[in-house]
Amino acid sequence: YPSGNPAIIVTRETDQLICIVQEDDLRTAKIRALFQSDGRSTCYYPNGDEWINMSVQGGQYLDQAGNRVRRWMWPNLSPGPHVPLSPIFISLNRHVGVRILAQDKIFVSFLAMGRQAKFNMGTKVQAGAASQLPPPTRLGEDELLLLAFRVRILQLFDRMRRCLNFPSSEQWNKIHPPTYLVTQAVKILELCMAADISDELRSSIRAIVNA
């Protein structure tokens, strides 16, 4: 961002690429969107509620009240007639936008100070490959809460370390949070999507890791 805060982070986790969009606030490093090369992606409203959720099968678009506005299936994974996906464009903030045209055409664009960067995080997953994907790991409510609080505690320890090493807030506020903390927060959000838990608990866990 023009402020110097990281806007988009692209990292490799085992055999896949992960694209993370963060809010323009280094103190919280709140995650606004998560795109994975295995076909799973999620975008969040500024308050942390789910906005768009996509998997290898299809996706859904929710309003800020949590009501489903649109739902679709990717053509190559849904035999027979299907409702075509109308292009979707959302602005995560004044600098980052997301355009969804097809399964293999999901663009994350960044525009600031007259310059633009664009990433295509779409992927083409065939029906046979999708059926061979391993089932997502499912954890209980207690395990998910413990993981979320663990990440939150590590985030607080990191802030304390920065305060001690750089007494001037103007200095330590400019230091990027460790990548491993961002990655752990992303993994917890993934587990929440796969877990059979209430929307209220899912929102609470997102608030903990994004606090």
Side-chain angles (χ1 to χ4, degrees):
Y1 291 107
S3 64
N5 296 333
I8 298 174
I9 301 173
V10 179
T11 182
R12 179 176 292 278
E13 183 71 21
T14 60
D15 59 345
Q16 68 172 314
L17 290 174
I18 299 176
C19 176
I20 304 165
V21 180
Q22 295 189 166
E23 191 52 272
D24 189 9
D25 186 351
L26 188 58
R27 294 170 298 175
T28 62
K30 181 180 292 185
I31 296 173
R32 293 299 312 278
L34 167 67
F35 302 89
Q36 299 177 221
S37 59
D38 64 359
R40 293 178 294 167
S41 303
T42 308
C43 300
Y44 301 96
Y45 284 105
N47 64 357
D49 290 343
E50 190 175 287
W51 193 345
I52 293 177
N53 181 273
M54 293 177 286
S55 67
V56 293
Q57 285 80 28
Q60 62 177 359
Y61 184 114
L62 306 175
D63 63 19
Q64 289 187 282
N67 302 310
R68 182 187 296 157
V69 177
R70 298 171 61 179
R71 185 177 184 180
W72 66 90
M73 297 290 289
W74 303 121
N76 60 314
L77 297 180
S78 54
H82 63 276
V83 177
L85 168 66
S86 299
I88 295 175
F89 176 78
I90 62 172
S91 295
L92 297 177
N93 53 42
R94 60 184 297 186
H95 296 291
V96 183
V98 177
R99 188 181 297 272
I100 303 169
L101 304 177
Q103 186 185 27
D104 59 343
K105 296 179 180 179
I106 301 174
F107 299 100
V108 181
S109 59
F110 175 81
L111 177 64
M113 298 181 289
R115 308 186 73 176
Q116 183 179 36
K118 183 180 291 186
F119 306 86
N120 185 1
M121 291 306 298
T123 183
K124 201 72 170 180
V125 180
Q126 299 300 322
S131 63
Q132 298 172 7
L133 290 175
T137 303
R138 297 182 182 274
L139 297 179
E141 297 181 359
D142 292 340
E143 291 88 348
L144 288 170
L145 279 172
L146 285 173
L147 288 173
F149 280 119
R150 177 181 179 274
V151 168
R152 180 61 184 147
I153 290 171
L154 290 174
Q155 290 172 340
L156 292 173
F157 275 130
D158 178 65
R159 290 190 191 178
M160 291 173 59
R161 177 184 58 79
R162 283 188 277 170
C163 286
L164 293 173
N165 292 338
F166 304 95
S168 171
S169 61
E170 293 183 358
Q171 290 179 309
W172 65 261
N173 270 338
K174 295 179 180 179
I175 301 176
H176 297 177
T179 303
Y180 78 92
L181 286 180
V182 176
T183 302
Q184 289 187 23
V186 167
K187 287 183 177 180
I188 292 174
L189 294 176
E190 290 177 15
L191 293 172
C192 283
M193 289 189 288
D196 184 18
I197 59 177
S198 66
D199 291 338
E200 182 179 0
L201 179 59
R202 191 174 287 111
S203 296
S204 298
I205 292 174
R206 283 200 299 266
I208 291 171
V209 299
N210 284 328

